[in-house]
C-alpha cells in the first residue's frame, strides 16, 4: 500500500520518520508494507532525507491510483478541508491529527467517507499519542458513558506546571512550550482554550453519540490565571488545571464546558504534569477509567496517525457504526444553567465576610493582605453571576476559577 503525507510540519515529519523507522512492524500489523510515496508542502526542504518525495501539486496525489490512504497534517479548515473532501470523493481514506477540522466538519466528512466506502480517521486529534478515540468507539462499547473529563491541552498544562513548580511567568513558560513544538501555530488557540474545546467536542460526540458543535461549548482559557492564583491554591493543597468536561445530566442533557479548575493536589488529574494529558471516562458498567500519556509533540502524535493508516489498510471496521447523529437543538445544557463551585477572591475589608454567609462554604474563607478568598457552595453559573454582581458593590473581584477540589 502506498500513502502520502500532506503538510510536512511537526506531525507530518514525525509520520514520515515513524513509517521509515518502524517499517517492519508497520508492515506486520497492516498485513502488507506501507510505503510513503509523496509529501505535499508549499515549502522546500532540501536538507530533508525525504526531499525526493516532496511535491507542491495536490492533484498528483489525488489522481494517483496507487495511493489509497492520505495523512492530512496541514491543520485548519481551509485547504485541509478542500483536500480532504476531494480525496474522500476520489475514493481515498484520510487520516488526520487536525482537531479543528474534525470538530467543525466531522459529521460531513464522516458521511462522505461512508458514501465513498473509505475511512476518515482522527485518533491523533485528541490526546496526541493517547489511544482515546478508538477506546471510546470499541473497548468501552459495552458501557453507557456518563462523563468525560480531562486535561486535553499539553501546552497549557506545561505552562501551568511551570508556574506551579518553578514560579515561571506565563510568558516564559509559553515560549518554552512553543520551542518544544507543543503549541499550535497560533498559540492563542491553546491558551484561550479553543484547542481543548475542539477536543472535548470530539470526545463528547463519540461518547454520547450526538454531534456537539464546539460553538456550543462555553470556553475559558488560562490567560487570566496569575501566580497569585497558583499560590492561593497551593495554600489550599490544590492546583489549577485547564479541564474539558462533559457530563450527562439527569434529564439526559449534556453539561459541557472548558475552564480552568481547582483540583486537589492528590486528585489523579492534579498529578498530571508538563505536556502530559489525562482523560477520565466514567461508564455505567466499568466505573472510572483514566487514559494518560503525551498529549502533544512530534512522535507521540505521529504514532497515532500511523496507527490510523494501519487501521485503514486493514479495513476491518464498518464506518457506518461511527457516524454521529445530528445533535438535538437543546442537547447541550446552556452554560448559565450548569452548576459548579467557584474559588473567588475579592479585594475587600473584614465586613465583607458577613455578606458571603451562606454563599461561602463553611471553613473556606481566608483573609490576607486585604484579600478575602473563599469557595462557594454549588450553584448555577447564572446564580453565581448574580451573587458576584451583588458582592462587587462591596469589594473588587480579582479572580474566579471553577473549584473541583474537595
Ligand atoms: N497544541 C496542542 C497541545 C497540540 O498543546 O495540546 C496537540 O493537540
Amino acid at each position: 500500500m502506498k500513502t502520502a503525507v500532506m503538510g510536512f510540519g511537526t506531525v507530518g515529519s514525525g509520520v514520515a520518520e515513524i513509517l521509515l523507522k518502524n517499517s517492519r512492524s508497520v508492515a506486520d500489523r497492516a498485513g502488507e508494507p506501507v510505503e510513503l510515496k509523496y509529501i505535499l508542502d508549499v515549502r522546500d526542504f532540501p536538507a530533508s532525507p525525504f526531499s525526493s518525495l516532496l511535491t507542491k501539486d495536490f492533484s498528483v496525489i489525488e489522481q494517483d491510483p496507487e495511493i489509497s490512504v492520505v495523512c492530512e497534517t496541514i491543520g485548519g479548515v481551509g485547504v485541509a478541508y478542500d483536500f480532504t473532501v476531494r480525496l474522500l470523493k476520489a475514493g481515498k481514506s484520510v487520516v488526520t491529527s487536525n482537531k479543528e477540522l474534525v470538530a467543525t466538519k466531522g459529521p460531513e466528512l464522516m458521511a462522505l467517507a461512508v458514501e465513498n466506502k473509505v475511512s476518515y480517521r482522527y485518533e491523533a486529534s485528541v490526546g496526541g499519542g493517547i489511544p482515546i478515540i478508538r477506546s471510546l468507539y470499541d473497548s468501552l462499547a459495552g458501557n453507557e458513558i456518563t462523563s468525560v473529563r480531562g486535561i486535553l491541552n499539553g501546552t497549557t498544562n506545561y505552562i501551568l506546571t511551570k508556574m506551579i513548580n518553578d514560579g515561571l511567568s506565563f510568558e516564559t513558560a509559553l515560549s518554552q512550550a512553543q520551542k518544544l513544538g507543543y503549541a499550535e501555530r497560533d498559540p492563542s488557540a491553546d491558551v484561550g482554550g479553543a484547542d481543548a474545546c475542539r477536543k472535548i467536542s470530539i470526545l463528547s460526540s463519540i461518547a454520547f453519540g450526538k454531534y456537539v458543535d464546539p460553538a456550543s461549548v462555553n470556553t475559558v482559557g488560562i490567560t487570566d490565571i496569575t501566580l497569585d492564583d497558583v499560590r492561593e491554591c497551593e495554600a489550599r493543597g490544590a492546583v489549577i488545571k485547564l479541564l474539558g468536561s462533559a457530563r450527562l445530566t439527569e434529564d439526559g442533557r449534556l453539561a459541557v464546558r472548558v475552564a480552568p479548575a481547582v483540583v486537589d493536589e492528590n486528585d489523579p488529574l492534579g498529578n498530571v504534569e508538563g505536556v502530559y494529558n489525562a482523560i477520565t471516562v466514567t461508564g455505567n458498567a466499568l466505573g472510572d477509567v483514566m487514559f494518560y500519556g503525551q498529549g502533544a509533540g512530534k512522535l507521540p502524535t505521529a504514532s497515532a496517525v500511523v496507527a490510523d493508516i494501519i487501521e485503514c489498510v486493514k479495513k476491518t471496521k464498518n464506518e457506518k457504526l461511527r457516524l454521529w447523529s445530528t445533535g438535538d437543538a437543546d442537547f447541550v445544557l446552556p452554560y448559565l444553567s450548569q452548576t459548579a463551585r467557584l474559588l473567588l477572591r475579592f479585594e475587600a475589608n473584614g465586613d465583607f465576610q458577613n455578606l458571603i454567609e451562606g454563599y461561602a462554604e463553611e471553613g473556606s474563607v481566608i483573609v490576607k493582605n486585604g484579600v478575602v478568598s473563599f469557595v462557594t457552595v454549588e450553584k448555577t453559573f447564572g446564580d453565581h453571576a448574580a451573587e458576584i454582581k451583588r458582592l462587587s458593590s462591596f469589594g473588587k473581584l480579582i479572580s474566579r476559577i471553577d473549584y473541583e477540589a474537595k
Side-chain angles (χ1 to χ4, degrees), residues 62 82-92 94 108 112-113 115-116 118:
E62 184 184 28
D82 294 340
F83 289 171
T84 301
V85 167
R86 282 169 65 177
L87 289 166
L88 294 172
K89 284 184 175 164
K92 299 180 195 304
V94 178
E108 175 192 336
L112 198 57
E115 216 176 281
N116 290 281
V118 290

Side-chain angles (χ1 to χ4, degrees), residues 97 99 124-128 152-156 181-185 190 195 199 275 277 295-297 301:
S97 56
K99 51 257 160 183
S125 66
V126 181
L152 300 172
N153 182 269
T155 301
T156 46
Y182 302 149
E184 297 297 297
R185 240 175 311 177
D190 296 297
D195 181 75
K199 290 168 177 169
V275 73
N277 284 189
T301 309

Side-chain angles (χ1 to χ4, degrees), residues 60 129 277 330 354:
V60 170
N277 284 189
D330 66 349
N354 300 328

Side-chain angles (χ1 to χ4, degrees), residues 110-177:
M110 287 173 222
L112 198 57
V114 169
E115 216 176 281
N116 290 281
K117 299 187 173 52
V118 290
S119 302
Y120 183 58
R121 293 297 167 97
Y122 45 90
E123 181 66 66
S125 66
V126 181
I130 303 172
I132 178 67
I133 305 268
R134 205 162 298 147
S135 300
L136 282 175
Y137 270 125
D138 298 334
S139 311
L140 298 176
N143 288 266
E144 280 182 12
I145 292 170
T146 52
S147 130
V148 179
R149 175 174 175 259
I151 295 169
L152 300 172
N153 182 269
T155 301
T156 46
N157 204 47
Y158 181 89
I159 293 171
L160 290 172
T161 305
K162 289 284 170 189
M163 289 172 77
I164 294 165
N165 293 354
D166 305 337
L168 283 195
S169 72
F170 177 90
E171 290 75 20
T172 309
L174 170 60
S175 89
Q176 283 187 2

Side-chain angles (χ1 to χ4, degrees), residues 220-270:
V220 182
I222 64 162
T223 45
D224 290 338
I225 301 292
T226 61
L227 283 172
D228 279 348
D229 292 325
V230 165
R231 286 187 203 111
E232 161 81 27
C233 291
E234 195 180 358
R236 293 173 181 272
V239 288
I240 303 174
K241 294 287 171 192
L242 181 64
L243 298 187
S245 58
R247 182 179 49 85
L248 268 191
T249 60
E250 273 167 18
D251 60 359
R253 297 177 73 193
L254 196 67
V256 52
R257 63 180 181 267
V258 171
V262 181
V263 297
D264 281 316
E265 250 166 21
N266 52 10
D267 181 304
L269 292 179

